Amino acid sequence: DIVMTQSPDSLAVSLGERATINCKSSQSVLYSSNNKNYLAWYQQKPGQPPKLLIYWASARDSGVPDRFSGSGSGTDFTLTISSLQAEDVAVYYCQQYSTILRTFGQGTKVEIK
Amino acid sequence: EVQLVESGGGLVQPGRSLRLSCTASGFTFADYTMSWVRQAPGKGLEWVGFVRSEPYGGTTEYAASVKGRFTISRDNSKSVAYLQMNSLKTEDTAVYYCTRDGGRGFDSWGQGALVTVSS
């Protein structure tokens, strides 16, 4: 199985400041045949199901604010919130879908400093 | 609008069985792979398994933690996916989410069904 490891486990950021979450996979999730990284990011607010934010490592899902961006390739990925808003307080998960056995990172909790 | 609604959760004793249903609407159900993802209380997300779309034969895959105990199936005529859980263990206690596995991650999620395994 591909192991996904996020860092940090939690972070506190001031309103309006940048938040950066890292995700590392134990093997590459890049398919050379189509040059796509099979990596997604989700946001989960308390008491709610997760919501897809980013797919193909950098494509924003419909309706996702442009302050959210994804980057990276191969085994190293980053989710950036460019200007943290109060409504962004949540747990964020990365997930690979390059193999049949889908796997998630352990989650990163984002709070307001 | 895509909607996924889980039902069938509840309290069950260890060793017993339970079946969850996921009723879908707002899209052509047969064209999509459907996955189940669970979340134990206070923990992260764990993929349970999926049933492929009709064009891909409706075959199934499972996480090692549930293989041989859980079975996923679908009824495309009713737009329903099922999760049959047998030989339940206390560690299966979780909220179970039905998700649409759209080839770009899990692009739609239900609200979840709580399954509590306890004597």
Side-chain angles (χ1 to χ4, degrees):
Chain A
D1 296 9
I2 296 180
V3 177
M4 308 299 290
T5 304
Q6 293 180 227
S7 62
D9 289 334
S10 65
L11 74 161
V13 176
S14 300
L15 288 172
E17 295 300 305
R18 179 184 300 260
T20 301
I21 301 169
N22 300 301
C23 175
K24 188 174 184 67
S25 57
S26 61
Q27 61 191 73
S28 177
V29 300
L30 172 65
Y31 270 55
S32 56
S33 58
N34 58 10
N35 201 36
K36 286 187 173 182
N37 288 282
Y38 285 58
L39 189 285
W41 288 96
Y42 302 86
Q43 175 193 64
Q44 187 177 31
K45 296 181 180 180
Q48 295 185 18
K51 172 189 172 184
L52 177 66
L53 292 178
I54 302 285
Y55 58 96
W56 301 132
S58 60
R60 267 189 304 274
D61 199 25
S62 175
V64 174
D66 61 8
R67 65 179 179 272
F68 291 92
S69 63
S71 62
S73 185
T75 61
D76 293 279
F77 301 90
T78 300
L79 175 70
T80 301
I81 309 173
S82 61
S83 175
L84 191 74
Q85 305 299 304
E87 60 265 32
D88 301 333
V89 169
V91 178
Y92 293 83
Y93 296 91
C94 62
Q95 179 244 332
Q96 66 80 20
Y97 49 100
S98 68
T99 62
I100 288 173
L101 303 184
R102 278 80 158 107
T103 47
F104 291 90
Q106 79 276 17
T108 295
K109 187 174 185 179
V110 174
E111 299 173 308
I112 305 294
K113 184 186 293 183
Chain B
E1 179 195 4
V2 173
Q3 280 201 312
L4 301 172
V5 179
E6 301 93 341
S7 59
L11 174 64
V12 61
Q13 293 179 326
R16 304 299 290 261
S17 299
L18 197 66
R19 188 178 81 161
L20 302 182
S21 300
C22 168
T23 302
S25 61
F27 64 102
T28 305
F29 180 75
D31 289 348
Y32 285 85
T33 293
M34 299 299 294
S35 273
W36 289 90
V37 174
R38 68 182 180 181
Q39 186 169 37
K43 302 297 184 182
L45 301 169
E46 180 187 17
W47 175 77
V48 172
F50 65 58
V51 57
R52 291 183 176 88
S53 61
E54 184 174 300
Y56 289 89
T59 52
T60 54
E61 304 287 348
Y62 301 95
S65 57
V66 306
K67 197 169 187 178
R69 299 188 299 123
F70 289 12
T71 301
I72 299 173
S73 60
R74 64 192 300 157
D75 184 337
N76 292 325
S77 68
K78 297 180 179 178
S79 296
V80 179
Y82 300 99
L83 177 63
Q84 176 69 43
M85 301 180 288
N86 298 332
S87 304
L88 281 161
K89 306 175 181 180
T90 55
E91 53 263 41
D92 295 319
T93 294
V95 173
Y96 285 75
Y97 295 103
C98 171
T99 75
R100 191 175 78 169
D101 197 332
R104 57 188 185 96
F106 305 120
D107 61 12
S108 296
W109 295 66
Q111 286 298 310
L114 176 62
V115 173
T116 303
V117 184
S118 174
S119 55

